[in-house]
Amino acid sequence: MRERITFIQKLGDSLEPSALTVDSRSGTINGPEIRAVREDRLTLAHPELPHELQTLTAGARDLHIRWVSTDAYGVVSPLLARLPPGFHLFYAPARAGADDLSSNELCLALGDIFGGISCTSLTESFTSLGDDSFQYYQGLDSLSQFIRYAKHRLCSPTDTSCSTRLDALSGAGSLDISWEAARNLLQITALWPYERQQIHATAQPPRRTEVGILSTDKPKTLEAHEIGISGLLTVLGQDSKPSPTMFTFPSRHRDAESAFSAGFLNPTGLHPTLQLRLTSTHPPPFSPSGDNNDDNDYTTAACHPYAYLTLPRGIFADKYQLSDPLFLASKNLSTLRHTTQPVDLEGPEYVLPQWGSAILLQLADPSLVPSLSSGSEWTAEIPLHLRYLAPSAGAGGYSAVSMPYPAVFWACEPGEDERESAAEKFPPMNPFEKTHLGYDELFAAGTVFWHVEPQPAVTASSPSLVNEVRVPVLDLDRAEWVGAGTTAAVVIGFAWVVWRLAGVWKSGGGNVVGETREAKQKKTQ
Amino acid sequence: MANPTKQARRPLSSPTTSHQPSLLSSFFSRPTPVYASAALLRLVFFLYGLWQDANSPVKYTDIDYLVFTDAARFVSRGQSPYERETYRYTPILAWLLLPTAFTTGLPFVDAALFSSGKVLFAISDLVAGWLLERVLAKSMERSRARKFAAIWLLNPMVATISTRGSSEGVLGVLVMALLSSVLSKRVTLAGLLLGFSVHFKIYPFIYAPAIIWWMDADRMSSKKNTPPKLQASSIPDKVFAFITPARVQLALTSFITFFGLNFAMYFTYGFPFLQHTYLHHVTRIDHRHNFSPYNTHLYLASSPSTSNSTLSSSLPGSGGGIESLAFLPQLVLACVLIPLGLAKRDLPTAMLAQTFAFVTFNKVCTSQYFLWYMVLLPLYLPHSSFLRNKIHGITALGLWVASQGLWLQQGYELEFLGKSSFLPGLWLASLGFFLVNCWILGTIIGDSCNVKGG
């Protein structure tokens, strides 16, 4: 079992080694309060896992649980990879094909661990990501059930530091639990947003704990696809003083140095439009020096802005509507790059078993749209559709669908001929790498993602990165007369028509009516 | 298209035109102005549509047309048309639209090829109009017949629907061809058309009982002046008298056509053909708001909160409520009572009333279904009390438009403003529209008392 605690400050903020107090006997480190992102990572080998986690991971080749807070939070390079807020599950069963039994167990266990996870099995609830891997998403506001569960299972009743650390997860920005059978390792990674953090950690033998107090750096030798980190590393209970370090590594997740907000345009109706407002029309600084010179492989031509949406099943995008170039252009969209398949275009929400759908939309390149390139802010509109939700009582005929913010980023994809060399540039493991995000596998290997920071709308009352759309539904409080009223109307209508038919029948028996009868009728009228 | 001697003849006997030989009457006296205008109308709409599609993000072309053409593209690659989601039609439609899948690399030619389906639908409109005129001309002056056919031919709504690429016009021509062949007693042709139409869109099966009932021995006998046969008295005799060669011939040809086509399609495309063309209509839970009186109730009945088990909620009509009996009034009227009461008096009006009843009492009803009866309307109007009694007619039209408008207004509030107008607004509006339709249907039925045997 290994633990890694990392504080990362922004470029230019760094801490003198003298500011830290390291005690190798008690295995503690203390320091001042700094503004930083904190990441805690616990790595467990398979035999170290608690029993129920062993059974869960036994059925999985790959299992990535990613929870993202619904509250906006700031991050620092290189911990930039973003996903829509909520509970994400990327799962590849150990045996090929849909394994419903083990996925059903997985769903039950996840329900216990996280609370309110309502998936059932692969074929019913999941969407396919290809390659025998599957995706599930659900909105999940907090980790409170996870914290309760973990405290109950992992902390002894007297161990207050264990429960204090778990309680701290309530302020986390994200939590990742990743299992890869090939490595036989489970990694639990929690991330706390960029804010004031007190430097303090205590070793928990026999676990090896390493603490890094780092900041982003830009050494002169830095290549375009790399980022630099420098700072102080300490292995608790082993080192008596922090040792300075400085390293560079290629990173696929970069900071676009801009932000966006998302909100529904009013009125939403049954076809709400999600508007993305991006703060900058300028592409990210693709090269460290700011100009795209020769040794920079990423030309702006191969870089485009994208939005990756996870749409709970109450709301969906129509891929056919999103196929007309003129229509897309009018919304500042470019192409629908990907959608999970199939998406039912008609069914009501309450008969669909799947979690929903995910789409990857390429946005218009603001530099190519004359009306956009001049201004500083630009918008893109994503047309969506609501399903019918179940009738409800006590809410005046309305329900709601919560939709998480999309992940918005610029992706620089290597061209066909440079794919191999680009892929080689990004060895699978860097110390802060994140893969299996749902969208990264939709791009060629070697693609670099420049993340645009999600921010709550200026008008929003809460820091939430979830938009709610009000959905009109049938009001059960008023539905008392629907059955009787409909029956009555149909009976009246039917009776009237039958009565008129009876009149016809009487006037001529419904049989051949000759000229004479016709004439006779004319006379009687 | 028309007999040249008839073209020259002045429509003296036409009551509305006999007094003043105006520009209007000369317009209808020859076929060319009417059909040229009908074609021109469609051409203008068609060209406007091309312009709008090329220049506006809001498309003129119907979404269904994109479904058809996508399906045709799959077929052109040797795949199944059911690869296209929401393609719920016979593969024949995709085959008919195969030219839309061809590309030459020349933008102008490609655009023309892509639009060829719309041309086909628009031509179907014109042929349906011409058949209308032909059927009408059996009982009236050619120019008067043309005037009534113009209600269809020069109707902007009809022209819009076909040039937007909706296939309903094909149904129009099929149903008119069916009626026309029945009236000219071409039984085999009628059987082929009936079988094909039912394969194409299911609902024309309602015409089978009316046509069968109409085709009695007296009517089908070739000799005009033979005295009527002795009335069969006992029940077996009546049954035997009912089974005439013409009826057997119609039944056989239509059955063979229908099942032959279905077998052919099933063997070509397998289960998806059955699933999407037919079974979908049985299992669909498509209660997005529509004009049907059952709509609100179906929404209520399908929801998990009102049904006992989740299983029953996935199948409409299994809840045991009125929704499971909804097909009864519809089929009793459209397939039994109206054919028995009206078919022998006036087959066209019987078919109109059947279609009207089928659409009005259907569990799903959208405005494209109105086209199904609109094609038959010109056949009924000449002896309609709606035309004889202007106030009656204007009231009926006014109520039909107003009750539909009310529903549309409620639907707009729901669909675009997000207002929960299901109850009571949309529900009452759909019931109101339903009752207005029933009243109109009753009047159409009552009017058949004024018709000589048909």
mmCIF file of all heavy atoms in Angstrom, chain B residues 83-119:
data_model
loop_
_atom_site.group_PDB
_atom_site.id
_atom_site.type_symbol
_atom_site.label_atom_id
_atom_site.label_comp_id
_atom_site.label_asym_id
_atom_site.label_seq_id
_atom_site.Cartn_x
_atom_site.Cartn_y
_atom_site.Cartn_z
ATOM 1 N N GLU B 83 -31.841 -0.114 -41.160
ATOM 2 C CA GLU B 83 -30.645 0.394 -40.508
ATOM 3 C C GLU B 83 -30.884 1.831 -40.059
ATOM 4 O O GLU B 83 -30.237 2.312 -39.129
ATOM 5 C CB GLU B 83 -29.450 0.392 -41.468
ATOM 6 C CG GLU B 83 -29.026 -0.979 -41.954
ATOM 7 C CD GLU B 83 -28.200 -1.717 -40.930
ATOM 8 O OE1 GLU B 83 -27.326 -1.104 -40.329
ATOM 9 O OE2 GLU B 83 -28.479 -2.922 -40.727
ATOM 10 N N ARG B 84 -31.792 2.502 -40.775
ATOM 11 C CA ARG B 84 -32.113 3.878 -40.401
ATOM 12 C C ARG B 84 -33.152 3.834 -39.284
ATOM 13 O O ARG B 84 -34.234 3.297 -39.465
ATOM 14 C CB ARG B 84 -32.660 4.640 -41.623
ATOM 15 C CG ARG B 84 -33.172 6.059 -41.340
ATOM 16 C CD ARG B 84 -32.133 6.918 -40.663
ATOM 17 N NE ARG B 84 -32.411 8.357 -40.780
ATOM 18 C CZ ARG B 84 -33.120 9.058 -39.878
ATOM 19 N NH1 ARG B 84 -33.655 8.485 -38.834
ATOM 20 N NH2 ARG B 84 -33.283 10.362 -40.060
ATOM 21 N N GLU B 85 -32.773 4.431 -38.127
ATOM 22 C CA GLU B 85 -33.724 4.497 -37.020
ATOM 23 C C GLU B 85 -34.969 5.247 -37.473
ATOM 24 O O GLU B 85 -34.882 6.174 -38.274
ATOM 25 C CB GLU B 85 -33.104 5.272 -35.850
ATOM 26 C CG GLU B 85 -32.035 4.510 -35.108
ATOM 27 C CD GLU B 85 -31.321 5.432 -34.132
ATOM 28 O OE1 GLU B 85 -31.869 5.669 -33.059
ATOM 29 O OE2 GLU B 85 -30.232 5.909 -34.492
ATOM 30 N N THR B 86 -36.093 4.865 -36.916
ATOM 31 C CA THR B 86 -37.416 5.443 -37.177
ATOM 32 C C THR B 86 -37.892 5.259 -38.622
ATOM 33 O O THR B 86 -38.869 5.869 -39.016
ATOM 34 C CB THR B 86 -37.534 6.951 -36.805
ATOM 35 O OG1 THR B 86 -36.780 7.732 -37.732
ATOM 36 C CG2 THR B 86 -37.079 7.211 -35.383
ATOM 37 N N TYR B 87 -37.227 4.413 -39.419
ATOM 38 C CA TYR B 87 -37.809 4.055 -40.718
ATOM 39 C C TYR B 87 -38.867 2.991 -40.447
ATOM 40 O O TYR B 87 -38.541 1.867 -40.071
ATOM 41 C CB TYR B 87 -36.754 3.538 -41.698
ATOM 42 C CG TYR B 87 -37.322 3.253 -43.077
ATOM 43 C CD1 TYR B 87 -37.576 4.287 -43.968
ATOM 44 C CD2 TYR B 87 -37.630 1.950 -43.484
ATOM 45 C CE1 TYR B 87 -38.115 4.043 -45.216
ATOM 46 C CE2 TYR B 87 -38.165 1.696 -44.729
ATOM 47 C CZ TYR B 87 -38.404 2.749 -45.593
ATOM 48 O OH TYR B 87 -38.959 2.502 -46.832
ATOM 49 N N ARG B 88 -40.126 3.346 -40.610
ATOM 50 C CA ARG B 88 -41.216 2.453 -40.225
ATOM 51 C C ARG B 88 -42.124 2.175 -41.416
ATOM 52 O O ARG B 88 -43.347 2.204 -41.294
ATOM 53 C CB ARG B 88 -42.066 3.108 -39.119
ATOM 54 C CG ARG B 88 -41.285 3.562 -37.921
ATOM 55 C CD ARG B 88 -41.378 2.564 -36.789
ATOM 56 N NE ARG B 88 -40.264 2.671 -35.855
ATOM 57 C CZ ARG B 88 -40.070 3.683 -35.013
ATOM 58 N NH1 ARG B 88 -40.900 4.677 -34.978
ATOM 59 N NH2 ARG B 88 -39.042 3.673 -34.203
ATOM 60 N N TYR B 89 -41.531 1.987 -42.580
ATOM 61 C CA TYR B 89 -42.327 1.850 -43.789
ATOM 62 C C TYR B 89 -41.895 0.606 -44.535
ATOM 63 O O TYR B 89 -40.911 -0.032 -44.197
ATOM 64 C CB TYR B 89 -42.160 3.095 -44.667
ATOM 65 C CG TYR B 89 -42.259 4.377 -43.897
ATOM 66 C CD1 TYR B 89 -41.148 4.926 -43.259
ATOM 67 C CD2 TYR B 89 -43.484 5.032 -43.756
ATOM 68 C CE1 TYR B 89 -41.246 6.085 -42.516
ATOM 69 C CE2 TYR B 89 -43.591 6.194 -43.024
ATOM 70 C CZ TYR B 89 -42.464 6.719 -42.394
ATOM 71 O OH TYR B 89 -42.572 7.867 -41.651
ATOM 72 N N THR B 90 -42.650 0.294 -45.579
ATOM 73 C CA THR B 90 -42.265 -0.834 -46.411
ATOM 74 C C THR B 90 -40.962 -0.518 -47.145
ATOM 75 O O THR B 90 -40.725 0.635 -47.512
ATOM 76 C CB THR B 90 -43.373 -1.162 -47.420
ATOM 77 O OG1 THR B 90 -42.841 -2.061 -48.387
ATOM 78 C CG2 THR B 90 -43.872 0.084 -48.134
ATOM 79 N N PRO B 91 -40.125 -1.524 -47.381
ATOM 80 C CA PRO B 91 -38.890 -1.268 -48.135
ATOM 81 C C PRO B 91 -39.175 -0.703 -49.527
ATOM 82 O O PRO B 91 -38.299 -0.048 -50.112
ATOM 83 C CB PRO B 91 -38.253 -2.660 -48.242
ATOM 84 C CG PRO B 91 -38.820 -3.433 -47.114
ATOM 85 C CD PRO B 91 -40.203 -2.911 -46.891
ATOM 86 N N ILE B 92 -40.395 -0.944 -50.039
ATOM 87 C CA ILE B 92 -40.717 -0.456 -51.390
ATOM 88 C C ILE B 92 -40.551 1.055 -51.467
ATOM 89 O O ILE B 92 -40.089 1.594 -52.474
ATOM 90 C CB ILE B 92 -42.148 -0.879 -51.776
ATOM 91 C CG1 ILE B 92 -42.186 -2.404 -51.917
ATOM 92 C CG2 ILE B 92 -42.607 -0.206 -53.057
ATOM 93 C CD1 ILE B 92 -43.562 -2.967 -52.156
ATOM 94 N N LEU B 93 -40.896 1.744 -50.378
ATOM 95 C CA LEU B 93 -40.745 3.198 -50.383
ATOM 96 C C LEU B 93 -39.273 3.576 -50.560
ATOM 97 O O LEU B 93 -38.940 4.467 -51.336
ATOM 98 C CB LEU B 93 -41.306 3.778 -49.082
ATOM 99 C CG LEU B 93 -41.294 5.293 -48.958
ATOM 100 C CD1 LEU B 93 -42.119 5.949 -50.050
ATOM 101 C CD2 LEU B 93 -41.816 5.719 -47.587
ATOM 102 N N ALA B 94 -38.410 2.875 -49.845
ATOM 103 C CA ALA B 94 -36.976 3.153 -49.985
ATOM 104 C C ALA B 94 -36.506 2.818 -51.406
ATOM 105 O O ALA B 94 -35.679 3.530 -51.976
ATOM 106 C CB ALA B 94 -36.171 2.358 -48.963
ATOM 107 N N TRP B 95 -37.057 1.740 -51.973
ATOM 108 C CA TRP B 95 -36.674 1.396 -53.347
ATOM 109 C C TRP B 95 -37.120 2.481 -54.318
ATOM 110 O O TRP B 95 -36.389 2.857 -55.224
ATOM 111 C CB TRP B 95 -37.309 0.063 -53.761
ATOM 112 C CG TRP B 95 -36.840 -1.115 -52.969
ATOM 113 C CD1 TRP B 95 -35.833 -1.147 -52.053
ATOM 114 C CD2 TRP B 95 -37.373 -2.442 -53.032
ATOM 115 N NE1 TRP B 95 -35.710 -2.398 -51.527
ATOM 116 C CE2 TRP B 95 -36.636 -3.222 -52.103
ATOM 117 C CE3 TRP B 95 -38.390 -3.050 -53.755
ATOM 118 C CZ2 TRP B 95 -36.899 -4.568 -51.898
ATOM 119 C CZ3 TRP B 95 -38.645 -4.397 -53.550
ATOM 120 C CH2 TRP B 95 -37.906 -5.148 -52.630
ATOM 121 N N LEU B 96 -38.367 2.964 -54.115
ATOM 122 C CA LEU B 96 -38.886 4.014 -54.998
ATOM 123 C C LEU B 96 -37.985 5.242 -54.961
ATOM 124 O O LEU B 96 -37.860 5.960 -55.947
ATOM 125 C CB LEU B 96 -40.293 4.430 -54.553
ATOM 126 C CG LEU B 96 -41.447 3.503 -54.927
ATOM 127 C CD1 LEU B 96 -42.738 4.001 -54.292
ATOM 128 C CD2 LEU B 96 -41.609 3.457 -56.448
ATOM 129 N N LEU B 97 -37.365 5.452 -53.818
ATOM 130 C CA LEU B 97 -36.542 6.655 -53.668
ATOM 131 C C LEU B 97 -35.061 6.385 -53.928
ATOM 132 O O LEU B 97 -34.218 7.208 -53.620
ATOM 133 C CB LEU B 97 -36.727 7.241 -52.272
ATOM 134 C CG LEU B 97 -38.155 7.688 -51.934
ATOM 135 C CD1 LEU B 97 -38.175 8.489 -50.649
ATOM 136 C CD2 LEU B 97 -38.748 8.540 -53.051
ATOM 137 N N LEU B 98 -34.766 5.229 -54.501
ATOM 138 C CA LEU B 98 -33.359 4.910 -54.782
ATOM 139 C C LEU B 98 -32.621 5.996 -55.555
ATOM 140 O O LEU B 98 -31.458 6.282 -55.256
ATOM 141 C CB LEU B 98 -33.255 3.573 -55.534
ATOM 142 C CG LEU B 98 -33.001 2.354 -54.648
ATOM 143 C CD1 LEU B 98 -32.933 1.088 -55.487
ATOM 144 C CD2 LEU B 98 -31.701 2.522 -53.868
ATOM 145 N N PRO B 99 -33.277 6.636 -56.562
ATOM 146 C CA PRO B 99 -32.541 7.703 -57.276
ATOM 147 C C PRO B 99 -32.015 8.790 -56.344
ATOM 148 O O PRO B 99 -31.005 9.421 -56.636
ATOM 149 C CB PRO B 99 -33.579 8.271 -58.238
ATOM 150 C CG PRO B 99 -34.562 7.172 -58.436
ATOM 151 C CD PRO B 99 -34.593 6.389 -57.158
ATOM 152 N N THR B 100 -32.676 8.989 -55.188
ATOM 153 C CA THR B 100 -32.200 10.048 -54.284
ATOM 154 C C THR B 100 -30.848 9.691 -53.675
ATOM 155 O O THR B 100 -30.170 10.558 -53.125
ATOM 156 C CB THR B 100 -33.186 10.276 -53.126
ATOM 157 O OG1 THR B 100 -33.247 9.085 -52.318
ATOM 158 C CG2 THR B 100 -34.572 10.608 -53.631
ATOM 159 N N ALA B 101 -30.472 8.412 -53.746
ATOM 160 C CA ALA B 101 -29.204 7.994 -53.140
ATOM 161 C C ALA B 101 -28.035 8.108 -54.105
ATOM 162 O O ALA B 101 -26.890 7.985 -53.704
ATOM 163 C CB ALA B 101 -29.309 6.554 -52.641
ATOM 164 N N PHE B 102 -28.343 8.332 -55.381
ATOM 165 C CA PHE B 102 -27.258 8.407 -56.368
ATOM 166 C C PHE B 102 -26.573 9.765 -56.338
ATOM 167 O O PHE B 102 -27.219 10.789 -56.121
ATOM 168 C CB PHE B 102 -27.797 8.151 -57.783
ATOM 169 C CG PHE B 102 -28.391 6.779 -57.947
ATOM 170 C CD1 PHE B 102 -29.471 6.578 -58.789
ATOM 171 C CD2 PHE B 102 -27.881 5.701 -57.239
ATOM 172 C CE1 PHE B 102 -30.040 5.311 -58.931
ATOM 173 C CE2 PHE B 102 -28.439 4.435 -57.375
ATOM 174 C CZ PHE B 102 -29.514 4.244 -58.228
ATOM 175 N N THR B 103 -25.275 9.738 -56.545
ATOM 176 C CA THR B 103 -24.552 11.003 -56.671
ATOM 177 C C THR B 103 -23.672 10.951 -57.915
ATOM 178 O O THR B 103 -23.191 9.884 -58.302
ATOM 179 C CB THR B 103 -23.649 11.274 -55.447
ATOM 180 O OG1 THR B 103 -22.906 10.085 -55.172
ATOM 181 C CG2 THR B 103 -24.457 11.649 -54.235
ATOM 182 N N THR B 104 -23.519 12.096 -58.534
ATOM 183 C CA THR B 104 -22.725 12.163 -59.748
ATOM 184 C C THR B 104 -21.485 13.015 -59.554
ATOM 185 O O THR B 104 -20.599 13.011 -60.387
ATOM 186 C CB THR B 104 -23.543 12.795 -60.883
ATOM 187 O OG1 THR B 104 -23.953 14.106 -60.445
ATOM 188 C CG2 THR B 104 -24.772 11.966 -61.209
ATOM 189 N N GLY B 105 -21.457 13.781 -58.463
ATOM 190 C CA GLY B 105 -20.354 14.710 -58.278
ATOM 191 C C GLY B 105 -20.670 16.099 -58.800
ATOM 192 O O GLY B 105 -19.979 17.052 -58.483
ATOM 193 N N LEU B 106 -21.734 16.199 -59.603
ATOM 194 C CA LEU B 106 -22.159 17.519 -60.080
ATOM 195 C C LEU B 106 -23.223 18.037 -59.118
ATOM 196 O O LEU B 106 -24.273 17.410 -58.975
ATOM 197 C CB LEU B 106 -22.741 17.415 -61.485
ATOM 198 C CG LEU B 106 -21.831 16.801 -62.539
ATOM 199 C CD1 LEU B 106 -22.603 16.445 -63.801
ATOM 200 C CD2 LEU B 106 -20.720 17.789 -62.867
ATOM 201 N N PRO B 107 -22.967 19.140 -58.409
ATOM 202 C CA PRO B 107 -23.882 19.588 -57.356
ATOM 203 C C PRO B 107 -25.330 19.750 -57.841
ATOM 204 O O PRO B 107 -26.263 19.367 -57.154
ATOM 205 C CB PRO B 107 -23.300 20.935 -56.920
ATOM 206 C CG PRO B 107 -21.912 20.943 -57.418
ATOM 207 C CD PRO B 107 -21.823 20.019 -58.578
ATOM 208 N N PHE B 108 -25.501 20.315 -59.039
ATOM 209 C CA PHE B 108 -26.852 20.588 -59.513
ATOM 210 C C PHE B 108 -27.600 19.280 -59.776
ATOM 211 O O PHE B 108 -28.745 19.124 -59.372
ATOM 212 C CB PHE B 108 -26.794 21.445 -60.788
ATOM 213 C CG PHE B 108 -28.149 21.882 -61.255
ATOM 214 C CD1 PHE B 108 -28.823 22.907 -60.594
ATOM 215 C CD2 PHE B 108 -28.755 21.252 -62.333
ATOM 216 C CE1 PHE B 108 -30.089 23.293 -61.006
ATOM 217 C CE2 PHE B 108 -30.012 21.643 -62.750
ATOM 218 C CZ PHE B 108 -30.677 22.665 -62.095
ATOM 219 N N VAL B 109 -26.911 18.344 -60.419
ATOM 220 C CA VAL B 109 -27.539 17.053 -60.718
ATOM 221 C C VAL B 109 -27.827 16.300 -59.419
ATOM 222 O O VAL B 109 -28.893 15.694 -59.263
ATOM 223 C CB VAL B 109 -26.621 16.221 -61.645
ATOM 224 C CG1 VAL B 109 -27.249 14.878 -61.960
ATOM 225 C CG2 VAL B 109 -26.332 16.995 -62.923
ATOM 226 N N ASP B 110 -26.896 16.368 -58.473
ATOM 227 C CA ASP B 110 -27.094 15.680 -57.202
ATOM 228 C C ASP B 110 -28.301 16.233 -56.454
ATOM 229 O O ASP B 110 -29.081 15.472 -55.881
ATOM 230 C CB ASP B 110 -25.840 15.804 -56.319
ATOM 231 C CG ASP B 110 -24.713 14.917 -56.828
ATOM 232 O OD1 ASP B 110 -24.982 14.148 -57.771
ATOM 233 O OD2 ASP B 110 -23.599 15.011 -56.299
ATOM 234 N N ALA B 111 -28.442 17.551 -56.472
ATOM 235 C CA ALA B 111 -29.590 18.164 -55.800
ATOM 236 C C ALA B 111 -30.885 17.703 -56.458
ATOM 237 O O ALA B 111 -31.881 17.404 -55.789
ATOM 238 C CB ALA B 111 -29.476 19.685 -55.840
ATOM 239 N N ALA B 112 -30.862 17.633 -57.786
ATOM 240 C CA ALA B 112 -32.058 17.187 -58.502
ATOM 241 C C ALA B 112 -32.364 15.732 -58.178
ATOM 242 O O ALA B 112 -33.525 15.365 -57.933
ATOM 243 C CB ALA B 112 -31.860 17.363 -60.004
ATOM 244 N N LEU B 113 -31.330 14.901 -58.141
ATOM 245 C CA LEU B 113 -31.534 13.491 -57.809
ATOM 246 C C LEU B 113 -32.085 13.351 -56.398
ATOM 247 O O LEU B 113 -33.015 12.594 -56.153
ATOM 248 C CB LEU B 113 -30.211 12.727 -57.923
ATOM 249 C CG LEU B 113 -29.781 12.324 -59.330
ATOM 250 C CD1 LEU B 113 -28.357 11.797 -59.315
ATOM 251 C CD2 LEU B 113 -30.717 11.270 -59.900
ATOM 252 N N PHE B 114 -31.495 14.128 -55.469
ATOM 253 C CA PHE B 114 -31.931 14.026 -54.088
ATOM 254 C C PHE B 114 -33.402 14.425 -53.957
ATOM 255 O O PHE B 114 -34.124 13.875 -53.127
ATOM 256 C CB PHE B 114 -31.069 14.919 -53.193
ATOM 257 C CG PHE B 114 -31.439 14.825 -51.741
ATOM 258 C CD1 PHE B 114 -31.101 13.704 -51.001
ATOM 259 C CD2 PHE B 114 -32.155 15.841 -51.117
ATOM 260 C CE1 PHE B 114 -31.458 13.593 -49.664
ATOM 261 C CE2 PHE B 114 -32.515 15.734 -49.779
ATOM 262 C CZ PHE B 114 -32.164 14.614 -49.060
ATOM 263 N N SER B 115 -33.852 15.345 -54.798
ATOM 264 C CA SER B 115 -35.226 15.811 -54.708
ATOM 265 C C SER B 115 -36.191 14.977 -55.534
ATOM 266 O O SER B 115 -37.392 15.265 -55.545
ATOM 267 C CB SER B 115 -35.307 17.266 -55.171
ATOM 268 O OG SER B 115 -34.438 18.058 -54.414
ATOM 269 N N SER B 116 -35.685 13.964 -56.209
ATOM 270 C CA SER B 116 -36.564 13.236 -57.125
ATOM 271 C C SER B 116 -37.747 12.588 -56.401
ATOM 272 O O SER B 116 -38.809 12.417 -56.977
ATOM 273 C CB SER B 116 -35.754 12.177 -57.880
ATOM 274 O OG SER B 116 -35.167 11.275 -56.965
ATOM 275 N N GLY B 117 -37.577 12.264 -55.124
ATOM 276 C CA GLY B 117 -38.678 11.695 -54.361
ATOM 277 C C GLY B 117 -39.827 12.673 -54.220
ATOM 278 O O GLY B 117 -41.004 12.303 -54.324
ATOM 279 N N LYS B 118 -39.473 13.939 -54.010
ATOM 280 C CA LYS B 118 -40.510 14.964 -53.891
ATOM 281 C C LYS B 118 -41.271 15.093 -55.198
ATOM 282 O O LYS B 118 -42.490 15.325 -55.202
ATOM 283 C CB LYS B 118 -39.887 16.310 -53.539
ATOM 284 C CG LYS B 118 -39.232 16.355 -52.192
ATOM 285 C CD LYS B 118 -38.637 17.733 -52.011
ATOM 286 C CE LYS B 118 -37.981 17.855 -50.653
ATOM 287 N NZ LYS B 118 -37.454 19.209 -50.470
ATOM 288 N N VAL B 119 -40.532 14.972 -56.303
ATOM 289 C CA VAL B 119 -41.185 15.032 -57.615
ATOM 290 C C VAL B 119 -42.173 13.869 -57.748
ATOM 291 O O VAL B 119 -43.312 14.048 -58.193
ATOM 292 C CB VAL B 119 -40.124 14.998 -58.735
ATOM 293 C CG1 VAL B 119 -40.780 14.979 -60.105
ATOM 294 C CG2 VAL B 119 -39.174 16.181 -58.602
#
